Amino acid sequence: MTRPEMVNGFTGEHLSAQPQHIRELIARRANVLGPGYQLFYTNPVEVSRGSGVHLYDPAGNEYLDAYNNVVSLGHCHPAVVEAVTRQLSTLTTNTRYLQADLLDFSERLLATFPAELDRVTYTCTGSEANDLALRIARAHTGNTGIIVTRNAYHGVTAEVAAFSPSLGPTSPLGPHVRTISAPDPLRHDNVTDLLRNEIRAVIEDLQRHGFGVCALVVDSIFSSDGVQPFPTDLLGVLAAEVRAAGGVYLADEVQAGFGRTGAGWWGFGRHAVVPDLVTLGKPMGNGIPVAAAVLRHEIGREFGQKVRYFNTFGGSNVPIAAASAVLGAIEGEGLIDNAREIGAHLLRGFTEIVESNSCLAEVRGTGLFLGIEVTAPESTEPDRGIAQSLVDDLRENFVLVSASGPHGNVVKIRPPLVFSAADAALLLDRFADAAARVLSRRRA
């Protein structure tokens, strides 16, 4: 069995078409990096620096970065640069020493959550946070069964990869894992009723096989399932079914959190449901590895009584300084409001483009997280080829987006929270031009 292709990944098929310098870099990567690494885009992008919403290649070409949510505040945000530099010159150690800065940040972070979520444990990555959260959930419930959506991605540790079906058939799911459909209102009516019935069936199956129900783990924007922000009554229904079966609801906010949806700090807030555990990751440190599991204190009681948990870098000074700067910038620069306003502008603009292009079935999203469904003309049949052509055309015209969904046919747009009206106008113009070119080539 061969390794499945990454959506919007460089496969090597076009290696001979790359400039000599790029071919040399790719060869050097192959000679020194370990297994599994992949590059974005049919024609990979070499980057040498970043600033704000832009990346630059060594030739000085400027790319509009409408995808990279690792730097949620944009590249090289001065507040984060200053905070990390200052902390590196002051102190770097772990959480086994009393430090007011760690407590100050933790109190500020928890204040952005519903009052029930009142404890936080730090890790370095979202994968680690999900791994830890599942350990906590198992200790609390005494069960092992996990429910995720059919194309979910939650991380790369062995434990978390076992419930990340988007990694493909060569990364098999654990026997304790069951999947349900993601919402897809374009193709299915009564989505909430459909998924209520599905989750009841998998709960029964987990119980029949002796696993019980430990947790429902859901990314509240259903990002890897193709960016599905609606319906907003769904997560509450699914969480209620899982809790009734003795499990917990774990909200994976690695992609949807920190104001990205424009509807408050956390993506689950749009769904009017309070999780039992929440995991945070990528955007938290704007490029500095820091992540966390946030939880109801009673959920963690059993784990805390039986396990001595320690993470050398989780919660250490430099990552916490970065995270504190991120929190301050989101608040001080009004970036949640900006995500809502610029996101609404983008949604309107993309809707106009979709209505005039027979290969674009739908645009959906909230805040600065949007997905554009690409299909065969006048159809709902997914068309990965056209989606990849759109992504590649934009890349050649210095705009970076990517693709998502179980069929790889949803153009995924996820710009930094500092995206401006001018940035949005450029993105819309370039996307409209790319869509026209791609459709014209298809008709030719």
Side-chain angles (χ1 to χ4, degrees):
M1 184 181 294
T2 59
R3 181 181 63 176
E5 293 181 6
M6 180 178 74
V7 174
N8 185 35
F10 174 70
T11 64
E13 180 183 348
H14 298 88
L15 180 62
S16 62
Q18 304 306 313
Q20 177 65 25
H21 172 61
I22 297 296
R23 292 202 303 271
E24 290 173 354
L25 286 177
I26 292 170
R28 288 174 63 191
R29 280 173 61 99
N31 286 333
V32 297
L33 298 183
Y37 284 97
Q38 287 189 269
L39 291 160
F40 278 141
Y41 304 108
T42 299
N43 296 320
V45 180
E46 181 186 4
V47 295
S48 57
R49 68 183 182 93
S51 177
V53 299
H54 298 106
L55 285 167
Y56 298 85
D57 66 19
N61 291 308
E62 182 180 83
Y63 293 81
L64 181 68
D65 187 352
Y67 181 70
N68 191 343
N69 80 324
V70 173
V71 285
S72 57
L73 305 183
H75 299 275
C76 305
H77 191 284
V80 180
V81 172
E82 192 278 330
V84 169
T85 302
R86 182 180 65 248
Q87 190 60 53
L88 276 169
S89 65
T90 304
L91 175 67
T92 301
T93 190
N94 59 55
T95 56
R96 285 178 165 165
Y97 299 92
L98 287 170
Q99 299 166 76
D101 288 350
L102 172 64
L103 304 181
D104 291 343
F105 172 72
S106 299
E107 289 165 355
R108 290 172 58 206
L109 178 67
L110 290 172
T112 67
F113 284 90
E116 299 95 319
L117 293 159
D118 57 0
R119 297 291 189 275
V120 56
T121 301
Y122 295 100
T123 65
C124 300
T125 68
S127 295
E128 274 189 309
N130 278 324
D131 193 293
L132 171 63
L134 259 296
R135 292 176 65 191
I136 292 170
R138 283 176 177 162
H140 175 72
T141 65
N143 300 324
T144 59
I146 299 171
I147 303 169
V148 294
T149 52
R150 203 148 287 145
N151 201 56
Y153 172 74
H154 295 291
V156 295
T157 67
E159 175 67 49
V160 180
F163 59 90
S164 293
S166 70
L167 294 174
T170 55
S171 181
L173 301 182
H176 60 296
V177 177
R178 299 293 183 273
T179 64
I180 58 173
S181 303
D184 187 359
L186 179 65
R187 297 175 177 88
H188 300 288
D189 297 327
N190 302 318
V191 167
T192 300
D193 290 340
L194 172 69
L195 293 186
R196 179 191 286 112
N197 291 333
E198 284 195 21
I199 202 166
R200 286 176 177 173
V202 299
I203 286 171
E204 181 180 350
D205 189 59
L206 285 169
Q207 291 171 333
R208 184 167 62 89
H209 284 85
F211 297 112
V213 180
C214 175
L216 167 70
V217 186
V218 181
D219 159 14
S220 59
I221 200 73
F222 297 93
S223 172
S224 295
D225 292 289
V227 188
Q228 297 285 359
F230 300 104
T232 54
D233 66 340
L234 175 62
L235 287 183
V237 169
L238 299 183
E241 295 289 339
V242 166
R243 286 167 173 160
V248 297
Y249 161 40
L250 193 167
D252 183 333
E253 292 285 315
V254 171
Q255 296 199 58
F258 288 97
R260 176 153 296 280
T261 65
W265 280 95
W266 311 111
F268 64 79
R270 297 177 57 251
H271 298 262
V273 59
V274 179
D276 301 295
L277 301 102
V278 181
T279 49
L280 317 177
K282 293 182 185 74
M284 191 172 176
N286 211 61
I288 297 295
V290 57
V294 176
L295 60 145
R296 303 171 188 256
H297 70 272
E298 66 272 16
I299 298 292
R301 185 175 295 119
E302 190 72 17
F303 181 82
Q305 290 174 350
K306 294 181 177 179
V307 177
R308 186 179 67 187
Y309 179 78
F310 177 64
N311 187 312
T312 301
F313 293 106
S316 61
N317 304 93
V318 172
I320 292 299
S324 182
V326 168
L327 212 63
I330 292 173
E331 293 170 334
E333 298 177 26
L335 295 183
I336 297 177
D337 290 340
N338 188 68
R340 182 179 65 254
E341 292 163 9
I342 300 300
H345 175 61
L346 284 170
L347 192 61
R348 289 191 297 270
F350 282 123
T351 298
E352 293 178 5
I353 297 169
V354 166
E355 289 173 349
S356 63
N357 191 305
S358 62
C359 291
L360 304 179
E362 181 179 57
V363 58
R364 50 186 180 257
T366 177
L368 288 173
F369 210 140
L370 298 105
I372 299 173
E373 181 97 25
V374 182
T375 62
E378 309 297 344
S379 166
T380 60
E381 186 67 26
D383 197 315
R384 177 174 180 156
I386 298 178
Q388 187 64 55
S389 294
L390 276 169
V391 171
D392 284 337
D393 188 291
L394 286 163
R395 174 258 179 269
E396 297 304 321
N397 288 279
F398 307 106
V399 173
L400 302 180
V401 297
S402 193
S404 180
H407 305 286
N409 70 305
V410 178
V411 177
K412 183 177 177 181
I413 298 165
R414 189 184 54 187
L417 300 180
V418 294
F419 221 58
S420 69
D423 301 325
L426 178 60
L427 173 59
L428 289 168
D429 285 346
R430 296 276 175 88
F431 188 91
D433 290 346
R437 282 190 293 269
V438 169
L439 184 58
S440 177
R441 289 196 295 268
R442 183 180 178 89
R443 287 172 174 164

